[in-house]
Amino acid sequence: MTSPLPDPTLKPPVLKTPFLKDLGIEFLDSEVGESRCALNLESRHANAWHSAHGGVVMTLLDVCMGRAATSADAGSIGGVTIEMKTTFIAPAGGPGSRIFGHGKVIHRGSSLVFCEAEIHTADGKVVAKATGTFKTRRRVRDPAAE
């Protein structure tokens, strides 16, 4: 059984991604080359020390950068992470806390986009930073439609 392909005229269906929807990631706003996201931390997001699990923090960093990368190109229908480096600076907080992510493009080539992002707590403390490289996908031109 094959799954249907996404509508190529739409922006990436980020909000419909089951994993991100299950985590509870919120997209606050997006400008060309920038993206802001947030997450209300719950017990299911915690590690053994009752702080946000590193994988949750990395996912929020990845999503913020990926959203920034695709927003930098009007012809983009999505993208994939090629590489990502993360630095954890401090615990992100535990259940009941809210963390925020800000991703931005630092350079855009013809198909690769280089981004950076940081996660901070509600009081502004930076808890993690990342850089990443993303490969964007563009709409396929249909010569028959011209």
Side-chain angles (χ1 to χ4, degrees):
M1 173 184 259
T2 60
S3 59
L5 295 173
D7 181 345
T9 64
L10 300 176
K11 278 294 195 186
V14 179
L15 295 172
K16 295 180 183 177
T17 303
F19 177 63
L20 301 181
K21 187 175 179 180
D22 183 57
L23 277 178
I25 292 176
E26 301 170 49
F27 296 96
L28 302 177
D29 62 43
S30 188
E31 301 171 18
V32 174
E34 291 194 43
S35 175
R36 287 178 181 75
C37 307
L39 177 64
N40 291 322
L41 296 174
E42 301 174 10
S43 59
R44 64 194 179 106
H45 299 123
N47 60 22
W49 295 276
H50 306 288
S51 183
H53 189 281
V56 171
V57 173
M58 287 183 75
T59 298
L60 189 58
L61 288 161
D62 181 53
V63 168
C64 287
M65 290 189 293
R67 182 82 171 218
T70 58
S71 75
D73 182 357
S76 173
I77 60 167
V80 295
T81 308
I82 300 298
E83 65 84 29
M84 182 174 161
K85 183 216 182 281
T86 302
T87 301
F88 295 100
I89 299 166
S97 300
R98 184 166 168 85
I99 55 175
F100 299 87
H102 177 218
K104 64 181 181 178
V105 171
I106 54 176
H107 177 75
R108 188 181 119 208
S110 60
S111 65
L112 293 180
V113 184
F114 301 87
C115 298
E116 63 186 12
E118 68 178 36
I119 303 297
H120 60 88
T121 60
D123 62 358
K125 180 175 79 171
V126 176
V127 298
K129 290 187 171 209
T131 57
T133 307
F134 296 80
K135 170 113 173 109
T136 56
R137 291 189 50 218
R138 297 188 62 108
R139 291 183 184 94
V140 177
R141 192 176 69 107
D142 182 2
E146 295 178 354

